[in-house]
Amino acid sequence: IEGTQQERAAVLQALAAAPPRKLLIACHAPSSPDRGTERFVREACGLAGACGLLLTGARQDADLARWRDWLQRTGLTQTQAHAEPQAALAWLEAA
């Protein structure tokens, strides 16, 4: 997740104005999620019917495991984590 605080606030405002049925957020898998990431994901997912993460650039299974563990620890258990774009697209297209 990139962007300034103002850019993130603008995205959240747009989501609030037109809440999506499903939201997919792309995250850089080799990076470790931090409090800012958690705050953004939690707020963005709260504005959508369902939420998922596409973990891009994973170099090893440990990257994916770290993010999935983070989702569990932070209570974001309803958030789907996808390592492959095809799986994320299938999730988006599913009813």
Side-chain angles (χ1 to χ4, degrees), residues 9-29:
V11 168
L12 293 172
Q13 186 176 21
L15 290 171
R21 186 174 60 84
K22 286 187 173 180
L23 175 66
L24 183 65
I25 301 170
C27 298
H28 185 244

Side-chain angles (χ1 to χ4, degrees), residues 1 23-27 37-38 40-46 48-55 67-72 74-82 91:
I1 299 174
L23 175 66
L24 183 65
I25 301 170
C27 298
T37 302
E38 179 184 353
F40 180 79
V41 169
R42 190 173 300 284
E43 290 179 26
C45 290
C51 192
L53 299 181
L54 173 57
L55 303 171
W67 279 84
R68 289 183 174 137
D69 182 57
W70 174 79
L71 288 170
Q72 291 295 316
T74 57
L76 293 165
T77 57
Q78 297 300 317
T79 304
Q80 301 287 316
H82 305 280
W91 174 79

